Amino acid sequence: MALPGGKEGAERMHNSASLIKLIREQLESGRWLGAICTAPVIVLGRKGLITNFTATYYKTFRGELGQYVKEISDQGVVTDRNLVASQSPGTAIEFASELVTCLFGKESSQTIADTVNACLPPK
């Protein structure tokens, strides 16, 4: 499961009891959960779902995240057990790559990266 960012969407996710139940089950079962941009704070943090995790933050929420997690990281993407947290749209490619690595392994992630790079114009 991967939670997108965006303040309005994150607030809607935060207010969905059925979604919060699914997220809690996802984390507690050890299955992978990704959250990017505002989702780590607004969805996971404010619901008390990541108190024992290290996570990263969207720049305007750094101070708030500290009250919800075990540790704050300044890295763009952070993986702690089964949680992959990412800072912003600017870290989306790294976030997606980390999710692929977690789900399918480094080799699959590298294959995708090589394929994408082959489609880009030469530098």
Side-chain angles (χ1 to χ4, degrees), residues 1-7 10 13 33-44 56-58 76-77 83-96 99:
M1 179 184 299
L3 306 176
K7 189 172 187 288
M13 288 186 285
L33 177 69
I36 189 169
C37 194
T38 59
V41 173
I42 294 175
V43 182
L44 304 177
T56 193
Y57 56 91
Y58 184 68
V77 176
L83 173 66
V84 179
S86 187
Q87 287 184 347
S88 68
T91 60
I93 292 174
E94 185 183 355
F95 176 60
L99 289 173

Side-chain angles (χ1 to χ4, degrees), residues 23-24 27-28 33 40-41 43-55 64-72 80-83:
I23 293 168
R24 182 174 279 112
L27 281 170
E28 290 174 356
L33 177 69
V41 173
V43 182
L44 304 177
R46 291 181 184 172
K47 287 294 183 180
L49 299 173
I50 56 173
T51 57
N52 294 316
F53 286 87
T54 297
E64 183 179 352
L65 182 62
Q67 63 187 316
Y68 304 131
V69 296
K70 175 181 73 178
E71 184 178 341
I72 296 175
D80 183 356
R81 290 164 289 165
N82 59 321
L83 173 66

Side-chain angles (χ1 to χ4, degrees), residues 89-104:
T91 60
I93 292 174
E94 185 183 355
F95 176 60
S97 178
E98 181 65 10
L99 289 173
V100 171
T101 298
C102 293
L103 293 167
F104 304 106

